[in-house]
Amino acid sequence: MTEIARAGSLRLEVVGVQTINVRATTLVLNVMVSQTGNARANFLQGAVLAKVGGPTRAGFLRLEALVKTGDPAPYVPPRNTLPWTIAPDWQTGVTERLKWKTDVLASQNGTEQRRRLRTSPRREIEATYRTYARDRRFLDACLTGPGATLWQVPLWWDRYVLLAPVEAGATSLAVDTLFGELLVGDTVMLLGNNPFAYELAVVAGIDVPRKIVRLGNILQNSWGATVSLYNTRVCRLQEKQSGSRKGSNASDMLLTFETTGVNDAPAYDPPYSNPPPGLQLEFRPNFANDLTVEYAHLYAMFDNETGKTMRRDLGLRAFHVMQFEYIAVNRFDHNRFRGFLYYLQGKLRSILVPTYSADMDLVPYTSIAADATMIQVIAAGYTTYVGADEPDRNAIIFFFHDGTVLVSFVTAAVYTGPDGHGHNIEAIRLAAPVGRAIKYADVDKICFMQHMRQDQDDFEIKHETDSTGTTKFSTTFRSVGPGRGAAPYQLQFTGSFVKNDAPPQLPIDIDKYQQPAGGVLGIPFYPEERWSPEVGGEGGGGVGNNSDGAGDEGSEL
């Protein structure tokens, strides 16, 4: 023990060094206060933060501004966990993967029963790390020595900026965390302009309106405004890391980290939180790139290899497989779409998805009264080849130029012939009055809506920048089969609805679901009690873990 201070019969002695910061401006010491001549008066005072000054005449370090911290104490990293402080190359972006696992039991006609096998998705973080000189040598040291250990890896897209500087010993940060992933209990990393300037802390509280993050431990360093603050997760590197050497002193390494803890996140609530009889996807796709579409039939083929083949369509319909790409341009959209993914849970849950194509075209001179239940569209084979009984073609949605929408259902269709203006006309009967006066110039497009689920459990998010900038998403939806006719049983969430004898009251009041400028409306359905809930493949969500295990059962429709 080393005595560092004396006051009368009391002595302050160092009993151990808890941490030494690599920037060599502070020491965190465990100290003991003892009383001379009284052996039973020794007691541990706790951790203190000391600023290193110059040497004293006795040859000891002069400790300035000795501050008793007590509780909270300085940050102590978890056992066998090291901080990952090498920043990725944003030129290629950062890829985040969420991996659910769903057991899909499909019958010959396409009817499905779906069950989740993971209560929480697995999560991967992949990025290219371009390093040069000292940083390359540091990366080599990390991968060669402790590469297989656990790493405290920043979520590079979940980045915040300090709004005000902080001094060593502070227990709070001025940070705007609105719509971020940061939660109480998370470990955050303050990261400077090189891998050796960093500090970790645990979040003890978040005051979003006041833009304050309270820490569960004291800071050991001073940090200026605009320094980056990252949310982190405990991860491990995949078994093999590969890259390329760019001469003798530079390299590119593609590294993939897999999180080791639970990856729960809140599902996006409005309009998905009600036990919904039907759902409307509220995100409009990005058509900058071509999006694929497939029409799949479930054929049973009989072939004796000597004569003609025989095929039978077991599903009696075409199952549509449609690709969608989305772009989030701010933290609000990013947070909302992530919550939507956690609602769907891979292949588990199904929703009504608009095609976002111009599937019906109103007659140009059309003027529809608010109480009308009939619309006229230019004939395109709907009456002849499809009709109101086709499962994927009897729900429609109007998109208007003013940003509003209108949802309805087709109950009948008839071809009425030429109209005298050079158009062949089909008359479409709707389930209820449209509820508003509609002119041809008001309508952007009329789309079919289909009951669909995601066709994949693995979902990839491409972060072009942090979540305050651009993020790209891509997914594929597949239409689901008809109902089994089984009696419904209670689930945490039910599926869409089965029509009995009464349609929902339309149009739906959408004012409460208006989103900020640039967003798209989400429309819930409010059916009457005579509309019975289906038994859907909608296993309940909730807190889980990353391990495989039995999940919640559900059958589609």
Side-chain angles (χ1 to χ4, degrees):
M1 292 187 295
T2 303
E3 178 181 331
I4 60 174
R6 180 187 293 270
S9 62
L10 295 179
R11 296 186 304 167
L12 181 62
E13 299 174 302
V14 176
V15 296
V17 178
Q18 189 175 103
T19 59
I20 300 179
N21 188 272
V22 294
R23 298 171 71 182
T25 60
T26 60
L27 294 176
V28 180
L29 310 173
N30 291 328
V31 298
M32 175 86 69
V33 175
S34 61
Q35 186 174 16
T36 305
N38 187 352
R40 292 182 296 179
N42 295 340
F43 56 93
L44 185 64
Q45 184 70 14
V48 298
L49 180 68
K51 296 176 66 176
V52 177
T56 65
R57 286 182 304 223
F60 297 102
L61 289 176
R62 177 165 52 86
L63 303 181
E64 299 176 343
L66 195 62
V67 181
K68 174 185 173 183
T69 61
D71 187 19
Y75 175 80
V76 178
R79 182 182 177 88
N80 298 328
T81 302
L82 298 175
W84 183 271
T85 59
I86 304 173
D89 177 19
W90 279 106
Q91 182 177 352
T92 55
V94 177
T95 301
E96 176 189 5
R97 296 188 184 95
L98 297 172
K99 296 184 176 182
W100 282 271
K101 192 172 183 64
T102 308
D103 183 18
V104 179
L105 304 177
S107 64
Q108 290 183 331
N109 69 349
T111 302
E112 293 181 349
Q113 183 177 16
R114 302 189 296 276
R115 181 181 63 166
R116 67 175 182 178
L117 302 180
R118 291 178 189 153
T119 55
S120 174
R122 293 178 179 176
R123 193 180 200 184
E124 293 180 357
I125 304 168
E126 182 177 276
T128 297
Y129 293 85
R130 177 166 295 177
T131 54
Y132 177 75
R134 182 184 66 166
D135 291 351
R136 185 202 65 81
R137 294 189 289 273
F138 181 56
L139 176 61
D140 175 75
C142 292
L143 298 180
T144 302
T149 191
L150 298 177
W151 296 94
Q152 198 82 39
V153 180
L155 303 180
W156 299 108
W157 58 89
D158 197 29
R159 171 181 172 268
Y160 310 91
V161 176
L162 294 188
L163 303 178
V166 292
E167 297 294 331
T171 57
S172 64
L173 301 171
V175 177
D176 184 4
T177 62
L178 184 63
F179 298 121
E181 293 186 49
L182 194 63
L183 298 173
V184 174
D186 287 345
T187 300
V188 293
M189 178 186 292
L190 287 157
L191 187 61
N193 56 7
N194 67 75
F196 305 97
Y198 69 90
E199 187 167 354
L200 297 171
V202 176
V203 177
I206 302 176
D207 190 337
V208 176
R210 298 176 59 191
K211 300 181 181 180
I212 293 177
V213 174
R214 294 188 298 275
L215 305 178
N217 48 272
I218 61 172
L219 294 178
Q220 303 173 34
N221 298 289
S222 298
W223 297 92
T226 73
V227 168
S228 297
L229 178 74
Y230 294 95
N231 196 359
T232 69
R233 293 293 183 270
V234 177
C235 304
R236 60 167 46 94
L237 279 166
Q238 288 191 344
E239 182 178 1
K240 184 179 180 180
Q241 301 89 44
S242 60
S244 59
R245 294 186 295 173
K246 307 291 185 180
S248 62
N249 212 16
S251 68
D252 282 355
M253 296 295 297
L254 180 65
L255 304 181
T256 303
F257 293 89
E258 182 178 338
T259 61
T260 61
V262 175
N263 295 303
D264 287 331
Y268 179 55
D269 289 338
Y272 306 111
S273 60
N274 302 326
L279 292 169
Q280 163 62 34
L281 183 64
E282 62 167 301
F283 303 96
R284 293 197 182 187
N286 171 36
F287 281 100
N289 300 316
D290 293 341
L291 304 180
T292 61
V293 61
E294 296 179 9
Y295 298 81
H297 290 266
L298 300 178
Y299 285 149
M301 179 177 289
F302 302 91
D303 184 4
N304 61 11
E305 298 186 0
T306 59
K308 296 181 179 180
T309 61
M310 178 182 293
R311 294 179 181 177
R312 180 182 178 187
D313 188 358
L314 300 178
L316 300 178
R317 58 177 289 190
F319 291 87
H320 299 84
V321 182
M322 305 181 70
Q323 180 191 14
F324 293 89
E325 291 185 357
Y326 308 96
I327 295 180
V329 294
N330 53 51
R331 187 170 287 158
F332 170 79
D333 288 344
H334 183 274
N335 176 274
R336 184 175 59 167
F337 198 88
R338 181 181 298 276
F340 173 64
L341 293 180
Y342 271 83
Y343 173 83
L344 293 177
Q345 296 187 55
K347 299 177 182 178
L348 184 64
R349 291 194 175 109
S350 59
I351 58 173
L352 283 173
V353 182
T355 62
Y356 290 103
S357 300
D359 296 317
M360 286 186 175
D361 188 12
L362 289 177
V363 176
Y365 53 80
T366 293
S367 179
I368 304 173
D371 59 351
T373 59
M374 184 81 72
I375 63 173
Q376 290 185 323
V377 299
I378 296 176
Y382 182 83
T383 301
T384 305
Y385 296 105
V386 182
D389 295 330
E390 184 66 28
D392 287 344
R393 293 295 183 262
N394 57 8
I396 61 175
I397 179 170
F398 292 75
F399 287 93
F400 297 100
H401 289 297
D402 62 3
T404 60
V405 299
L406 174 68
V407 176
S408 191
F409 297 88
V410 178
T411 59
V414 61
Y415 175 72
T416 61
D419 63 349
H421 297 277
H423 303 111
N424 292 322
I425 304 300
E426 289 178 311
I428 308 297
R429 182 176 296 278
L430 305 180
V434 293
R436 60 176 288 180
I438 300 175
K439 295 182 179 180
Y440 176 81
D442 298 336
V443 180
D444 179 18
K445 56 191 170 186
I446 304 175
C447 310
F448 293 123
M449 294 195 301
Q450 306 173 87
H451 204 129
M452 310 184 87
R453 62 161 173 83
Q454 287 192 116
D455 199 33
Q456 60 200 68
D457 276 327
D458 296 352
F459 196 86
E460 192 169 283
I461 303 172
K462 186 69 172 180
H463 300 277
E464 303 286 346
T465 63
D466 60 39
S467 56
T468 60
T470 302
T471 301
K472 294 182 179 180
F473 312 84
S474 178
T475 187
T476 302
F477 281 95
R478 178 187 180 89
S479 55
V480 294
R484 323 179 282 160
Y489 57 94
Q490 185 63 37
L491 293 173
Q492 181 175 349
F493 288 95
T494 58
S496 187
F497 51 88
V498 179
K499 186 169 69 172
N500 291 337
D501 59 344
Q505 186 64 36
L506 297 174
I508 298 168
D509 181 10
I510 63 175
D511 292 339
K512 62 182 292 188
Y513 293 109
Q514 291 282 350
Q515 300 294 343
V520 184
L521 300 175
I523 309 303
F525 292 85
Y526 296 96
E528 300 176 3
E529 294 181 357
R530 288 175 291 178
W531 289 66
S532 62
E534 300 171 334
V535 179
E538 323 295 348
V543 177
N545 52 53
N546 244 4
S547 62
D548 294 345
D552 302 303
E553 295 189 13
S555 57
E556 179 53 44
L557 303 181

